[in-house]
Each structure stands twice: as C-alpha cells, then as structure tokens.
Amino acid sequence: MTEESRELFAVITHLVTSAPTSLDETPILAAFRMVDAAGKLMALGAPDDEFLRAAHADFTDHATLVLTDQAAFREWLDEYVRHFTRETLNRTAATS
C-alpha cells in the first residue's frame, strides 16, 4: 500500500468514525468535523493548486477557534465558505 493510499484511508476512516459522534454533538462541532475533514483532504495534496494550499493554511490558523471562541469560529467559517464560493465561481467562469 502506498503512502498516499494510507493517508487517504486515514481521512476516510476519520469521516466514517466521526459520523456516529456527530449525531450527539453540538452543531458547531459537527460543522468543525466537516471543515476538519476538508483540511485533511487539502493536506493530502494538490501541490499545483495555490488556492487549496492557502485555504489549508487558513484552516490551520483558525481551527482552534471552535474550542476557544465559537462566535469567532462562526464568523471565520462564514467567510471561509464565501471564499470557496468565489473561487468556485471563478473556476466555473474560466472553463466556460
């Protein structure tokens, strides 16, 4: 098994084993699990994708807010989603 396969398996396992936990946790922690999984996928690589590298760094810089300042985490998450939405629109326009 390659290192890439092991890393991908670890992310998939994280997602699967988090599912039952998310049923009983607060909505903000469930939301964190989703962006945490996205962060793990970004860490696996897309070395030629500057947006994803920057998005991963942004997530890493703000991840602990969910534990220390949930209002700030919500604000950051709203902007993070807007950032991804703008990038999706830019990429869609570029391929049209």
Side-chain angles (χ1 to χ4, degrees):
M1 181 181 289
T2 67
E3 181 61 27
E4 184 177 86
S5 292
R6 278 191 289 279
E7 290 175 8
L8 183 59
F9 181 78
V11 173
I12 292 167
T13 300
H14 170 77
L15 290 168
V16 171
T17 58
S18 293
T21 304
S22 69
L23 295 171
D24 297 320
E25 65 191 358
T26 64
I28 198 160
L29 288 178
F32 172 79
R33 284 188 187 279
M34 287 186 228
V35 291
D36 183 46
K40 290 177 185 304
L41 290 170
M42 287 184 267
L44 287 178
D48 60 336
D49 194 318
E50 186 175 324
F51 174 83
L52 290 178
R53 280 195 317 273
H56 182 257
D58 189 23
F59 168 71
T60 301
D61 289 345
H62 295 91
T64 59
L65 287 175
V66 75
L67 299 173
T68 60
D69 187 344
Q70 291 185 350
F73 178 79
R74 287 176 188 273
E75 289 177 26
W76 168 82
L77 185 57
D78 285 345
E79 182 55 35
Y80 198 60
V81 169
R82 281 193 291 280
H83 194 62
F84 268 87
T85 301
R86 283 190 299 273
E87 181 65 14
T88 299
L89 291 172
N90 290 338
R91 289 183 185 206
T92 300
T95 61
S96 297

